[in-house]
Amino acid sequence: MLNRVVLIGRLTKDPELRYTPTGVAVANFTLAIDRNFKNAQGERDTDFINCVVYRQLAELCANYLAKGKLAAVDGRIQVRSYTGQDGQKRWVTEVIAEDVRFLSPKDGGSTESKSSGGNSSFGHEVNLDDDIPF
């Protein structure tokens, strides 16, 4: 069996960070992703995908992502149900993110990547006034 999803989109609002009763950090955010084709009116439809992130990655997302920022999410789809206050059963489909990459430049201008595996950079500024070692 395989349950894997990779998404790239922009956040519709700032991530919401909360903690479970046992102290586990949980962040929720929604990615807006344009479809690759145009509808009958010549416009691109947009999908809004709910994402959930846990633990340290949740705290990183809450600290570094914001509305409008571009992010890549690698995770799995989860479908769950609950009973609403009106007694009706409700279904929720969401992506449980295992890895999140921050694709928008930081305010300082460099592009950074944050993931559950640590802190790595796939782009950085080079000061041409410094000696280049090659």
Side-chain angles (χ1 to χ4, degrees), residues 18-44:
R18 59 184 172 79
Y19 292 88
T20 66
T22 59
V24 177
V26 181
N28 296 72
F29 58 88
T30 301
L31 287 181
I33 303 168
D34 289 337
R35 294 185 182 173
N36 290 334
F37 53 89
K38 296 180 180 179
N39 61 21
Q41 292 77 31
E43 299 172 350
R44 292 191 188 276

Side-chain angles (χ1 to χ4, degrees), residues 92-123:
V92 177
T93 302
E94 57 201 1
V95 173
I96 306 300
E98 297 167 3
D99 191 16
V100 177
R101 301 290 171 146
F102 304 164
L103 302 179
S104 289
K106 272 180 31 175
D107 295 336
S110 68
T111 305
E112 297 212 358
S113 165
K114 306 285 186 214
S115 70
S116 56
N119 198 357
S120 64
S121 176
F122 63 87

Side-chain angles (χ1 to χ4, degrees), residues 52-124:
V52 181
V53 188
Y54 291 94
R55 298 176 186 74
Q56 183 182 8
L57 186 55
E59 293 174 332
L60 287 170
C61 288
N63 288 330
Y64 293 102
L65 287 178
K67 179 180 179 178
K69 296 284 188 176
L70 189 64
V73 171
D74 178 17
R76 61 185 172 80
I77 294 176
Q78 173 177 285
V79 179
R80 60 183 173 85
S81 65
Y82 67 95
T83 303
Q85 292 179 341
D86 59 359
Q88 296 290 321
K89 189 171 191 175
R90 303 238 190 321
W91 293 89
V92 177
T93 302
E94 57 201 1
V95 173
I96 306 300
E98 297 167 3
D99 191 16
V100 177
R101 301 290 171 146
F102 304 164
L103 302 179
S104 289
K106 272 180 31 175
D107 295 336
S110 68
T111 305
E112 297 212 358
S113 165
K114 306 285 186 214
S115 70
S116 56
N119 198 357
S120 64
S121 176
F122 63 87
H124 59 278

